[in-house]
Amino acid sequence: MKKSVLLLFGGCSSEHEVSLKSATTILNNIDRSIYEVHPVGITKEGKWLLYTGTNNDLSNNEWQKSGISAFLSPDATQKALWIFKGEGQESIKINIDIVFPVLHGKNGEDGTIQGLCQLAQIPFVGCGVLASAVSMDKAFTKIAVATKNVPQARFVLVKEPELKHMEETIKKIESAFSYPYFIKPANAGSSVGISKANNKEELISGLYEAVKHDRKVLIEETIIGREVETAVIGNDEIVVSGVGEILAAAEFYDFDAKYNNAESKTVVDADLPNEIKQKIRGYAKDVFDAVEGKGLSRVDFFVKENGEIIFNEINTLPGFTSISMYPMLFAATGLSVKEIITKLLELASL
């Protein structure tokens, strides 16, 4: 008998469109001989809609026209998706075995949807509530990773109310380390809201831009180095892929460079000495363990000219688009997208 999978996509996040592309990949590659899929899209306004179409390209937003409301019951005795086809019509209950949250960024990668799955007592793909929340918050990630002595950039944390006292805040940052700075919303994915400041004016502008996305802002020292990534899969037995490299078309790999600039390139086998690659893979495992990860993650680093490795960030629900590094890194090891998806569903847990 096939297992029933609830595939969640879209979401109230700045990465809504990326999620649509990732979910399209999942729909086109999930093994239908093993799994019965129930795709439910969440609009930017937060409305849940069942997708019943046969065209698996979700990026054109045709799924929003279904008008069929759906929600996952938090009642642990039901373990069900409820469908409402229209006013006055009888509701339909669909039993769910696994939830696959293909949701990036806030309200999907931050422990919120994972908490709903925990309440419903339905196994789900990916990291749990704690790991998701800690990894989404760049400041708390740094605190967790520090317990493993993994090298990382120096930083200053600024909260939104501090911008009312801008001169004091600027002094706090400038006394920590020198320009240039990278300014990042503490809770945002796909490099949304990130800027680089070479002077005080750019720092002020970057702070105001970052707080549009989160009330906490991380100001990091600039690390000059190659941007590399590795992929992790597993629960108790962790498998780490090879090391890939990002060749950004822009000054840094922001959202536009990542998804809209065709000049940005990714390499699945970085041209680095083997001992550095092995060290990166070891650090990736340490980071995954530090946040108590499970299922999957992508872990990003910088490699400086002298060979020093600096941890950048962990992404607990990495993209599955055609240009996403996570599936490409495992594809380079001989694991197809279909096999990756099957493995992730097998790893689903509470």
Side-chain angles (χ1 to χ4, degrees), residues 63-78:
W63 60 272
Q64 294 196 28
K65 298 178 181 179
S66 78
I68 304 174
S69 295
F71 72 87
L72 178 65
S73 172
D75 188 331
T77 66
Q78 294 187 5

Side-chain angles (χ1 to χ4, degrees), residues 247-301:
L247 304 174
E251 185 178 8
F252 59 95
Y253 204 43
D254 60 6
F255 186 90
D256 190 61
K258 188 177 294 185
Y259 294 108
N260 300 322
N261 195 326
E263 296 302 312
S264 290
K265 306 293 182 185
T266 52
V267 178
V268 294
D269 186 14
D271 184 14
L272 289 166
N274 190 57
E275 60 268 25
I276 290 180
K277 289 182 183 179
Q278 292 307 316
K279 201 168 186 179
I280 290 168
R281 296 175 74 240
Y283 278 155
K285 194 176 276 192
D286 288 341
V287 170
F288 193 67
D289 183 58
V291 300
E292 299 187 5
K294 66 175 184 177
L296 76 163
S297 284
R298 195 194 69 240
V299 192
D300 305 347
F301 299 88

Side-chain angles (χ1 to χ4, degrees), residues 1-290:
M1 190 166 133
K2 293 182 182 180
K3 288 194 173 183
S4 178
V5 176
L6 169 58
L7 181 74
L8 291 174
F9 62 90
C12 309
S13 159
S14 57
E15 297 180 74
H16 179 95
E17 284 76 17
V18 181
S19 171
L20 302 184
K21 294 177 181 179
S22 291
T24 296
T25 300
I26 305 296
L27 276 177
N28 285 326
N29 289 279
I30 195 167
D31 192 336
R32 305 284 178 149
S33 68
I34 305 173
Y35 303 105
E36 182 179 358
V37 188
H38 305 282
V40 171
I42 303 172
T43 68
K44 290 181 179 179
E45 297 73 34
K47 187 173 180 61
W48 289 40
L49 296 168
L50 180 71
Y51 176 65
T52 57
T54 55
N55 178 10
N56 288 341
D57 182 6
L58 301 169
S59 59
N60 59 17
N61 283 319
E62 287 294 316
W63 60 272
Q64 294 196 28
K65 298 178 181 179
S66 78
I68 304 174
S69 295
F71 72 87
L72 178 65
S73 172
D75 188 331
T77 66
Q78 294 187 5
K79 296 180 174 52
L81 178 73
W82 285 92
I83 309 299
F84 299 90
K85 291 191 174 180
E87 287 189 27
Q89 291 191 20
E90 188 178 354
S91 58
I92 301 169
K93 177 184 175 184
I94 299 175
N95 293 326
I96 299 295
D97 297 307
I98 304 169
V99 176
F100 197 154
V102 190
L103 299 164
H104 308 307
K106 287 187 178 181
N107 303 305
E109 197 172 347
D110 56 3
T112 49
I113 200 71
Q114 291 78 11
L116 177 57
C117 293
Q118 288 277 12
L119 286 173
Q121 286 294 289
I122 302 174
F124 57 94
V125 171
C127 290
V129 175
L130 176 65
S132 299
V134 167
S135 300
M136 187 71 186
D137 190 306
K138 295 177 177 66
F140 279 104
T141 302
K142 283 184 171 289
I143 293 167
V145 170
T147 65
K148 295 290 185 177
N149 295 315
V150 176
Q152 49 189 331
R154 291 177 293 172
F155 72 100
V156 173
L157 183 65
V158 171
K159 296 183 179 179
E160 186 175 12
E162 294 181 71
L163 301 194
K164 296 175 184 177
H165 310 283
M166 187 61 81
E167 286 304 318
E168 291 178 24
T169 301
I170 295 299
K171 287 179 183 177
K172 169 182 165 180
I173 297 167
E174 291 180 337
S175 64
F177 39 85
S178 303
Y179 289 96
Y181 305 135
F182 271 104
I183 307 158
K184 304 177 179 180
N187 288 276
S190 280
S191 307
V192 173
I194 292 181
S195 62
K196 186 178 181 180
N198 295 289
N199 52 55
K200 180 178 176 180
E201 291 71 27
E202 291 178 355
L203 174 58
I204 293 171
S205 174
L207 288 169
Y208 281 126
E209 175 60 30
V211 295
K212 292 178 184 177
H213 303 277
D214 191 62
R215 66 180 299 274
K216 290 199 306 184
V217 180
L218 209 66
I219 298 89
E220 287 185 332
E221 66 173 327
T222 296
I223 303 296
I224 306 299
R226 296 163 66 178
E227 295 185 55
V228 299
E229 301 182 345
T230 192
V232 180
I233 193 167
N235 289 345
D236 299 321
E237 296 182 11
I238 308 303
V239 176
V240 183
S241 74
V243 179
E245 183 172 6
I246 301 298
L247 304 174
E251 185 178 8
F252 59 95
Y253 204 43
D254 60 6
F255 186 90
D256 190 61
K258 188 177 294 185
Y259 294 108
N260 300 322
N261 195 326
E263 296 302 312
S264 290
K265 306 293 182 185
T266 52
V267 178
V268 294
D269 186 14
D271 184 14
L272 289 166
N274 190 57
E275 60 268 25
I276 290 180
K277 289 182 183 179
Q278 292 307 316
K279 201 168 186 179
I280 290 168
R281 296 175 74 240
Y283 278 155
K285 194 176 276 192
D286 288 341
V287 170
F288 193 67
D289 183 58

